[in-house]
Amino acid sequence: MDRLMTNTDAWDALRRFTNARIALGRAGSSLPTAPLLAFELAHAQARDAVHQPLDTVALAEALRAAGFETLDARSAAPDRDHYLRRPDLGRQLDDESAQRLAAHGAESASDLAFVAADGLSAFAAQRHVVPLLVRLRPRLGGSTIAPVVIATQARVALGDRIGELLRAKIVVMMIGERPGLSSPDSLGLYVTYAPRAGRHDAERNCISNVRPEGLDYETAAFKLTWLIDEARRLKLTGVGLKDLSGALPAPDAGTLEA
């Protein structure tokens, strides 16, 4: 009955090109039932993404199966409620994590440190960190890589302190972004040269919306490698490093690991 009463228009043909909510049609003066239910589902998925805890055990197992060592860390936020209400706590390491990372960093420095963090969407880290790193690794040449740090209740700036303690030249924070109504699992990549506590957002570069429906893994690995190489050359990240990777040839997917 709802289908018979729904009015459509010429915009319907454009819906296949975007996940945005366009050309939803009308049922009288309201939305049809199907788009309304889809909106409510998307809203529920976005809320779940914020509150769902990161399965650190499963992520660590998947990383180790892919050939990466791992370390655990958590911020100073004791629980999700504090994390959401106190962003400052999510930028600080708790004491036990700081001691553990400092002990590892004292043994050896590294060129690169990667942090897999829950942020505002644990779904993003759970789903995308491993396939991204698998595609990135062949591009890193002889770089020394610290164990991947799995961080919980984390904000972006937590990566600065982690990279500092691991004595890494560059840290890449892979963190769940604020979920949207069509993207509850979007992963953000934040690259910081010479990480240390107190760095600010203008001193890092960001690659956003990493997921199969957004910026695919191959392209994200290509852009991230370009930023890392340029950061080494210029010895900086942030506003002084413009992402010109789009002007370069597309990555050769055939040379990458499956």
Side-chain angles (χ1 to χ4, degrees):
M1 188 66 176
D2 186 53
R3 178 181 299 176
L4 296 175
M5 297 176 62
T6 298
N7 300 316
T8 58
D9 57 36
W11 281 56
D12 285 348
L14 299 178
R15 294 178 62 187
R16 68 180 186 274
F17 297 112
T18 178
N19 289 328
R21 285 174 167 76
I22 64 171
L24 299 181
R26 290 179 295 165
S29 60
S30 184
L31 283 175
T33 301
L36 178 61
L37 292 177
F39 174 83
E40 292 177 349
L41 174 60
H43 188 262
Q45 289 173 330
R47 290 179 61 87
D48 286 347
V50 171
H51 295 283
Q52 178 74 21
L54 180 63
D55 188 340
T56 57
V57 173
L59 181 56
E61 289 177 350
L63 283 166
R64 288 194 290 268
F68 296 94
E69 297 179 44
T70 64
L71 291 169
D72 292 328
R74 63 172 298 125
S75 76
D79 52 45
R80 200 63 175 171
D81 184 57
H82 281 83
Y83 170 80
L84 293 173
R85 292 188 295 109
R86 292 282 306 276
D88 58 310
L89 294 180
R91 302 184 184 108
Q92 307 168 40
L93 279 170
D94 76 347
D95 292 338
E96 182 180 348
S97 298
Q99 292 172 8
R100 183 165 55 252
L101 295 175
H104 189 280
E107 296 177 359
S108 62
S110 57
D111 295 322
L112 298 169
F114 293 93
V115 183
D118 50 5
L120 289 170
S121 173
F123 292 156
Q126 205 84 55
R127 296 170 182 171
H128 307 316
V129 160
V130 175
L132 173 64
L133 288 178
V134 166
R135 286 160 176 80
L136 179 67
R137 181 168 49 194
R139 300 178 177 276
L140 298 179
S143 299
T144 56
I145 304 174
V148 178
V149 177
I150 300 174
T152 53
Q153 314 296 10
R155 299 281 176 172
V156 171
L158 192 70
D160 298 337
R161 181 60 173 154
I162 291 173
E164 180 180 26
L165 291 173
L166 291 177
R167 295 198 295 148
K169 295 178 182 177
I170 297 175
V171 67
V172 179
M173 172 63 94
M174 307 174 291
I175 189 168
E177 298 179 315
R178 186 184 304 276
L181 291 178
S182 61
S183 55
D185 62 343
S186 179
L187 187 72
L189 311 177
Y190 293 83
V191 186
T192 307
Y193 183 83
R196 64 176 182 272
R199 288 287 196 191
H200 50 78
D201 289 342
E203 296 176 292
R204 47 180 144 260
N205 291 82
C206 176
I207 299 172
S208 186
N209 196 30
V210 178
R211 58 193 183 102
E213 301 83 1
L215 190 69
D216 63 81
Y217 304 136
E218 304 283 4
T219 306
F222 172 69
K223 293 174 73 68
L224 181 54
T225 305
W226 189 92
L227 285 175
I228 289 172
D229 289 344
E230 285 297 287
R232 286 169 167 160
R233 183 177 70 85
L234 299 174
K235 293 182 169 46
L236 58 80
T237 46
V239 295
L241 172 54
K242 304 302 181 184
D243 182 1
L244 302 177
S245 62
L248 300 178
D252 182 4
T255 65
L256 302 180
E257 293 184 3

Coordinates of all heavy atoms in Angstrom, one line a residue, residues 196-232:
R196 N 55.3 14.0 20.3 CA 55.6 14.2 21.7 C 54.3 14.8 22.3 O 53.5 15.4 21.6 CB 56.8 15.1 21.9 CG 56.6 16.5 21.3 CD 57.8 17.4 21.7 NE 57.6 18.8 21.2 CZ 57.9 19.2 20.0 NH1 58.5 18.3 19.1 NH2 57.7 20.4 19.6
A197 N 54.2 14.7 23.6 CA 53.0 15.2 24.3 C 53.0 16.8 24.1 O 54.1 17.4 24.2 CB 53.1 14.9 25.7
G198 N 51.9 17.3 23.8 CA 51.7 18.7 23.6 C 51.6 19.2 22.1 O 51.4 20.3 21.8
R199 N 51.9 18.2 21.2 CA 51.6 18.6 19.8 C 50.2 19.0 19.6 O 49.3 18.5 20.3 CB 51.9 17.3 18.9 CG 53.4 17.0 18.8 CD 54.1 18.0 17.9 NE 55.4 17.4 17.4 CZ 56.3 18.2 16.8 NH1 56.1 19.5 16.6 NH2 57.4 17.7 16.4
H200 N 49.9 19.8 18.6 CA 48.5 20.2 18.4 C 48.1 19.8 17.0 O 48.9 19.4 16.2 CB 48.3 21.8 18.6 CG 49.4 22.6 17.9 ND1 49.3 22.9 16.5 CD2 50.5 23.3 18.4 CE1 50.3 23.7 16.2 NE2 51.0 23.9 17.3
D201 N 46.9 20.0 16.7 CA 46.3 19.5 15.4 C 46.9 20.0 14.2 O 47.0 19.4 13.2 CB 44.8 19.7 15.4 CG 44.0 18.8 16.4 OD1 44.6 17.8 16.9 OD2 42.9 19.2 16.7
A202 N 47.4 21.3 14.2 CA 48.1 21.8 13.1 C 49.4 21.2 12.7 O 50.0 21.5 11.7 CB 48.3 23.4 13.3
E203 N 49.9 20.3 13.6 CA 51.2 19.7 13.4 C 51.0 18.2 12.9 O 52.0 17.5 13.0 CB 52.0 19.7 14.7 CG 52.3 21.1 15.1 CD 53.1 21.1 16.5 OE1 52.4 20.8 17.5 OE2 54.3 21.5 16.5
R204 N 49.8 17.9 12.4 CA 49.6 16.5 11.9 C 48.8 16.6 10.6 O 48.0 17.5 10.4 CB 49.0 15.6 12.9 CG 47.9 16.1 13.7 CD 47.4 15.0 14.7 NE 46.9 15.6 15.9 CZ 47.6 15.7 17.0 NH1 48.8 15.2 17.1 NH2 47.1 16.2 18.1
N205 N 48.9 15.5 9.8 CA 48.1 15.4 8.6 C 47.1 14.3 8.8 O 47.3 13.3 9.6 CB 49.0 15.0 7.4 CG 49.9 16.2 7.0 OD1 50.9 16.4 7.6 ND2 49.5 16.9 6.0
C206 N 45.9 14.5 8.2 CA 44.8 13.5 8.3 C 44.4 13.0 7.0 O 44.3 13.7 6.0 CB 43.6 14.2 9.0 SG 42.2 13.2 9.2
I207 N 44.1 11.7 7.0 CA 43.5 11.0 5.9 C 42.2 10.4 6.5 O 42.2 9.7 7.4 CB 44.3 9.8 5.3 CG1 45.6 10.4 4.8 CG2 43.6 9.1 4.2 CD1 46.6 9.3 4.4
S208 N 41.1 10.8 5.9 CA 39.8 10.5 6.5 C 38.9 9.5 5.7 O 39.2 9.3 4.5 CB 39.0 11.8 6.7 OG 37.8 11.6 7.4
N209 N 38.0 8.9 6.3 CA 36.9 8.1 5.7 C 37.5 6.8 5.0 O 37.2 6.5 3.9 CB 36.1 8.9 4.7 CG 34.8 8.2 4.3 OD1 34.3 7.5 5.1 ND2 34.4 8.4 3.0
V210 N 38.5 6.2 5.7 CA 39.0 4.9 5.2 C 38.1 3.8 5.5 O 37.8 3.4 6.7 CB 40.4 4.7 5.8 CG1 41.0 3.3 5.3 CG2 41.4 5.8 5.5
R211 N 37.5 3.2 4.5 CA 36.6 2.1 4.5 C 36.3 1.7 3.1 O 36.5 2.5 2.2 CB 35.3 2.4 5.3 CG 34.6 3.6 4.8 CD 33.5 4.1 5.7 NE 32.7 5.1 5.1 CZ 31.5 5.0 4.6 NH1 30.9 3.8 4.6 NH2 30.8 6.0 4.1
P212 N 35.8 0.5 2.8 CA 35.6 0.1 1.5 C 34.6 1.0 0.7 O 34.7 1.2 -0.5 CB 35.0 -1.3 1.6 CG 35.6 -1.9 2.9 CD 35.7 -0.7 3.8
E213 N 33.6 1.5 1.5 CA 32.6 2.4 0.8 C 33.1 3.8 0.7 O 32.4 4.7 0.1 CB 31.3 2.4 1.6 CG 30.7 1.0 1.8 CD 31.3 0.2 2.9 OE1 32.2 0.8 3.6 OE2 30.8 -0.9 3.2
G214 N 34.3 4.2 1.2 CA 34.8 5.5 1.2 C 36.1 5.5 0.4 O 36.2 5.2 -0.8
L215 N 37.2 5.8 1.2 CA 38.6 5.7 0.6 C 39.1 4.3 0.8 O 39.3 3.9 2.0 CB 39.5 6.7 1.4 CG 40.9 6.9 0.8 CD1 40.8 7.7 -0.6 CD2 41.8 7.7 1.7
D216 N 39.2 3.5 -0.3 CA 39.5 2.1 -0.1 C 40.9 1.9 0.4 O 41.8 2.8 0.4 CB 39.3 1.4 -1.5 CG 40.3 2.0 -2.5 OD1 41.5 1.5 -2.6 OD2 39.9 2.8 -3.3
Y217 N 41.2 0.7 0.8 CA 42.5 0.4 1.5 C 43.7 0.7 0.6 O 44.7 1.2 1.1 CB 42.5 -1.1 1.9 CG 41.4 -1.5 2.9 CD1 40.8 -2.7 2.7 CD2 41.0 -0.7 3.9 CE1 39.7 -3.1 3.5 CE2 40.0 -1.1 4.7 CZ 39.3 -2.3 4.5 OH 38.3 -2.7 5.4
E218 N 43.6 0.3 -0.7 CA 44.7 0.5 -1.6 C 45.1 2.0 -1.7 O 46.2 2.4 -1.6 CB 44.4 -0.1 -3.0 CG 44.0 -1.5 -3.0 CD 45.2 -2.5 -2.9 OE1 46.3 -2.0 -2.7 OE2 45.0 -3.7 -2.9
T219 N 44.1 2.8 -1.9 CA 44.3 4.2 -2.1 C 44.8 4.9 -0.8 O 45.7 5.7 -0.8 CB 43.0 4.9 -2.6 OG1 42.5 4.3 -3.8 CG2 43.3 6.4 -2.9
A220 N 44.2 4.4 0.3 CA 44.6 5.0 1.6 C 46.1 4.6 1.9 O 46.9 5.5 2.4 CB 43.7 4.4 2.7
A221 N 46.5 3.4 1.6 CA 47.9 3.0 1.8 C 48.8 3.8 0.9 O 49.9 4.2 1.3 CB 48.0 1.5 1.5
F222 N 48.4 4.1 -0.3 CA 49.2 4.9 -1.2 C 49.4 6.3 -0.7 O 50.5 6.8 -0.6 CB 48.5 4.9 -2.6 CG 49.1 5.9 -3.6 CD1 50.3 5.7 -4.1 CD2 48.4 7.0 -4.0 CE1 50.9 6.6 -5.0 CE2 48.9 7.9 -4.9 CZ 50.2 7.7 -5.4
K223 N 48.3 6.9 -0.3 CA 48.3 8.3 0.3 C 49.1 8.4 1.6 O 49.9 9.3 1.8 CB 46.9 8.8 0.5 CG 46.1 9.1 -0.8 CD 44.7 9.5 -0.5 CE 44.6 10.9 0.0 NZ 45.0 11.9 -1.0
L224 N 49.0 7.3 2.4 CA 49.7 7.3 3.7 C 51.2 7.2 3.5 O 52.0 7.9 4.1 CB 49.1 6.2 4.6 CG 49.8 6.1 6.0 CD1 49.7 7.4 6.8 CD2 49.1 4.9 6.7
T225 N 51.6 6.3 2.5 CA 53.0 6.2 2.2 C 53.6 7.5 1.7 O 54.7 7.8 2.1 CB 53.2 5.0 1.2 OG1 52.6 3.8 1.7 CG2 54.7 4.8 0.9
W226 N 52.8 8.1 0.9 CA 53.3 9.4 0.3 C 53.5 10.4 1.4 O 54.6 11.1 1.5 CB 52.3 10.0 -0.7 CG 52.8 11.1 -1.5 CD1 53.4 11.1 -2.7 CD2 52.7 12.5 -1.1 NE1 53.7 12.4 -3.0 CE2 53.3 13.3 -2.1 CE3 52.2 13.2 0.0 CZ2 53.4 14.7 -2.0 CZ3 52.2 14.6 0.1 CH2 52.9 15.3 -0.9
L227 N 52.6 10.5 2.4 CA 52.7 11.5 3.5 C 53.9 11.1 4.4 O 54.7 12.0 4.8 CB 51.5 11.5 4.3 CG 50.3 12.3 3.7 CD1 49.1 12.1 4.6 CD2 50.6 13.7 3.6
I228 N 54.1 9.8 4.6 CA 55.2 9.4 5.5 C 56.6 9.7 4.8 O 57.5 10.2 5.4 CB 55.1 7.8 5.7 CG1 54.0 7.6 6.7 CG2 56.5 7.3 6.3 CD1 53.7 6.1 6.9
D229 N 56.7 9.5 3.5 CA 57.9 9.8 2.8 C 58.2 11.3 2.8 O 59.3 11.7 3.0 CB 57.8 9.2 1.3 CG 57.9 7.7 1.3 OD1 58.3 7.1 2.2 OD2 57.5 7.2 0.2
E230 N 57.2 12.1 2.6 CA 57.4 13.5 2.5 C 57.7 14.0 4.0 O 58.4 15.0 4.1 CB 56.1 14.2 2.0 CG 56.0 14.1 0.5 CD 57.1 14.8 -0.2 OE1 57.2 16.0 -0.3 OE2 58.0 14.1 -0.8
A231 N 57.1 13.5 5.0 CA 57.4 13.9 6.3 C 58.8 13.6 6.7 O 59.5 14.5 7.3 CB 56.5 13.1 7.3
R232 N 59.3 12.5 6.2 CA 60.8 12.2 6.4 C 61.6 13.2 5.7 O 62.7 13.7 6.2 CB 61.1 10.8 5.9 CG 60.6 9.7 6.8 CD 60.7 8.4 6.1 NE 60.5 7.2 7.0 CZ 60.2 6.0 6.6 NH1 60.0 5.8 5.3 NH2 60.0 5.0 7.5

